[in-house]
């Protein structure tokens, strides 16, 4: 059995949360899981290995509202998914401010969260 240690707790996205490239305004993929330090993305758009991106996505918030998060991310790895034309991609967030971390933390810690 492999024991994995992560510094930041991750929440699996049970609903579809689309991720948009803020520079091209195109949907890149959807969040698989999310932490304060990074995310797993199921991408349907081409990605460049070891590149920096500026992403935007909306997280569900209390009362049916949404919190918009715009954040810089560094692509750490890519792995082929079983679906044709899709890949799993691991990103580390860069330059995270407290203003950006607040909505992430609130979504990760919300009641009903399923942690990974």
């Amino acid at each position: 059995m492999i024991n994995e240690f992560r510094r930041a707790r991750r929440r699996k996205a049970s609903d579809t949360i689309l991720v948009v490239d803020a520079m091209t305004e195109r949907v890149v993929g959807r969040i698989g899981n999310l932490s304060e330090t990074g995310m797993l993305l199921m991408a349907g758009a081409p990605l460049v290995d070891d590149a920096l991106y500026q992403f935007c996505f909306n997280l569900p918030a209390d009362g049916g509202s949404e919190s918009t998060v715009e954040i810089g991310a560094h692509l750490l790895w890519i792995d082929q998914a079983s679906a044709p034309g899709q890949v799993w991609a691991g990103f580390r967030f860069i330059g995270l401010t407290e203003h950006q971390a607040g909505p992430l933390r609130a979504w990760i810690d919300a009641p009903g969260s399923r942690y990974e």
Side-chain angles (χ1 to χ4, degrees):
M1 176 179 223
I2 297 173
N3 290 328
E4 184 176 345
F5 173 77
R6 291 182 173 158
R7 285 179 259 170
R9 188 172 55 224
R10 293 181 178 267
R11 179 179 175 185
K12 184 175 183 178
S14 56
D15 295 326
T16 300
I17 301 172
L18 297 179
V19 177
V20 174
D21 182 320
M23 301 300 156
T24 65
E25 298 182 353
R26 293 185 181 174
V27 173
V28 177
R30 63 178 174 81
I31 293 176
N33 67 43
L34 183 66
S35 76
E36 283 186 59
T37 59
M39 70 177 165
L40 175 66
L41 182 73
M42 170 58 84
L47 298 171
V48 177
D49 193 29
D50 198 34
L52 300 178
Y53 290 88
Q54 188 71 21
F55 289 134
C56 185
F57 51 88
N58 294 318
L59 293 176
D62 290 335
S65 64
E66 292 184 333
S67 294
T68 300
V69 177
E70 186 168 335
I71 195 162
H74 175 213
L75 178 58
L76 300 176
W77 57 267
I78 301 173
D79 193 15
Q80 291 298 314
S82 57
Q86 294 189 333
V87 297
W88 289 107
F91 287 90
R92 174 181 59 92
F93 295 144
I94 52 177
L96 184 70
T97 67
E98 185 56 37
H99 177 74
Q100 293 164 318
L104 293 175
R105 196 176 303 121
W107 185 79
I108 293 164
D109 294 337
S113 297
R114 290 180 36 209
Y115 300 114
E116 292 190 336

